[in-house]
Amino acid sequence: GIAVFNTPGANANAVKELVIAGLLLASRKIVPGIEWAKGLKGTGAEVGKLVEKGKSQFKGCEIIGKTLGVIGLGGIGVPVANAAASLGMKVIGYDAYLSVKNALHISDKVQVVEKLDDMLPECDFLTVHVHANDATNGMINGDTFAKMKDGSVLLNYARASIVDTPSLKEALESGKLRKYVTDFPNEDMPGLPNVILTPHLGASTMEAEDNCAVMAVEEMMDYIENGNITNSVNFPACHMGTCRGANRLAL
């Protein structure tokens, strides 16, 4: 009988921006370049010459004109798709349970397909934004990689369990996958070549934390004062309006 609330969407922009950063990190060899540049300490006036001589090893590619596949067109997937399209990428989206509300927010530049297999062979980059459950755990596996373009990049800012680790290792070793970028390291990830790991930074912004706190307070106040239920994980949504008089009908 206790209503339990969450705050969906409060951190969506923070995650979206990190995904875009992941696209750029995978494209431009930024992390290896930073690590190499740290080694220039102590070279004095030769730094400039060494930079010009060494920069060619970090040549990358631009994301404009490349194809991004987005699995899951929800509160995060839609902003990611729209942002990528505005950066000049060709964006293809897939969602087996696309809601009308989310569909209305998708840019007309984003192509939505009905079958995942129609999208996989086209993508230079693939990003996953689905909930982790029995249906999605391990959904990115050997069969998925086999259908993807050679040398593609996978980004996982959803949950670690969505990507099958043994299949991921095989795809990286064979070159089927050029890079794997994830916010969810596990014990097998550190030290793997062509893997970029971040320590679950998706919602780690001051703005996202404020947004979550404000939304939580507003939901609780609306429930206590008016009996309205919004974003409950164990009760259906229930909107009784706002209590303005001395009496009201209670169900």
Side-chain angles (χ1 to χ4, degrees), residues 69-135:
V70 182
I71 300 177
L73 295 170
I76 295 174
V78 169
V80 166
N82 292 347
S86 69
L87 289 172
M89 300 188 77
K90 176 184 177 182
V91 183
I92 306 173
Y94 166 78
D95 193 321
Y97 307 100
L98 179 61
S99 70
V100 173
K101 178 182 177 181
N102 288 326
L104 291 172
H105 288 89
I106 300 174
S107 166
D108 58 5
K109 297 178 182 178
V110 177
Q111 176 189 357
V112 179
V113 296
E114 296 182 0
K115 296 180 180 179
L116 181 59
D117 288 356
D118 293 338
M119 179 176 74
L120 294 175
E122 305 296 323
C123 301
D124 301 296
F125 299 85
L126 181 68
T127 183
V128 187
H129 301 285
V130 297
H131 295 292
N133 53 41
D134 291 341

Side-chain angles (χ1 to χ4, degrees), residues 214-231:
V214 170
M215 184 181 290
V217 171
E218 289 177 343
E219 289 171 357
M220 290 300 296
M221 288 176 62
D222 196 26
Y223 177 66
I224 293 170
E225 295 176 356
N226 303 308
N228 297 329
I229 299 175
T230 306
N231 296 327

Side-chain angles (χ1 to χ4, degrees), residues 26-39:
S27 302
R28 297 296 300 272
K29 298 184 180 179
I30 297 170
V31 174
I34 291 173
E35 294 302 316
W36 179 84
K38 289 179 181 178

